[in-house]
Amino acid sequence: MNVKLEESWKKRLLEEFEKPYFHQLVEFVKAEYANKTIYPPAKEIFKAFDSCSFDDIKVVIIGQDPYHGPGQANGLCFSVRTGVPMPPSLVNIFKERKSDLGKAMPPNGDLTNWAEQGVLLLNATLTVAAKSPGSHQKKGWEEFTDAVIQKLSDEKENIVFILWGAYAQKKGAVIDRQKHFVIESPHPSPFAAHRGFFGSKPFSKANEYLKSQNLSTIDW
C-alpha cells in the first residue's frame, strides 16, 4: 500500500502498511474524509512523522486524539495552528514551561518548532470527526501507533519519552527503560494538572538527560 510518508519512516513501517488492519483503516479513513468533516486536513495526517525523520528523533510526546474543533488540529499532538486560541491543556503546558524554564507564554500554540528539532508529537489516533472526540478510536490507529513506539524503543537508544496521563503511560508500557528515559506525570488538562503535572519539570529533565548522553538539547 502506498502511504505518503517521510522516507526514513516509510521503510521502517512498510510491513505495517501491508497488514490487513491497516488496509481496513485506510478504507475507513478515506470514506470518512469523503463524507464528513475530519481533522486534521488529510495532508497533515502524518505531519508528526514528516516533521522529523526516524533518525533525528530525540523526544517523543504521546497524546490521544487530534483536536476536534474547527481549524485546531495540525497533525501534531497538543499543537494548534497559528491564529487559533490555545486549548486549556496547551495553556497548562506553556505555564509549566514558564515555571520550569522561565520562558514567557508564546504568541501562538503551533509546536512545529519542537517537531523540527526532533520531538515526535504523536497522537495515538491520527484522525477524528468534527465535534466528535474519540470517533476514530479502535479503528486501527492505536495498533499502528503502538507499532511506531515499539519500533522506536527497539531500534533507537536514549530517547526521552514524555508520558502525560494514564492513557499515554499505558501506551508507553512497551518502552525499554534500560535504553530510554521515561518522564511520567498527570495529564496537563485542567482536570488533572494540579495533581502533579504542575511542578513536574519535564522540559528541563528532558534536556538534562539529552545533555548527559552528549545529545543536543531542545529549545522548548
Side-chain angles (χ1 to χ4, degrees), residues 65-112:
D65 262 13
Y67 296 120
H68 54 87
Q72 290 180 304
N74 69 350
L76 306 174
C77 74
F78 295 106
S79 175
V80 290
R81 56 187 80 249
T82 301
V84 175
M86 291 185 211
S89 290
L90 185 55
V91 170
N92 285 343
I93 287 168
F94 285 127
K95 281 182 182 173
E96 177 57 21
R97 186 184 73 157
K98 184 173 194 303
S99 160
D100 187 9
L101 302 176
K103 290 197 163 206
M105 210 68 169
N108 64 71
D110 186 353
L111 303 180
T112 302

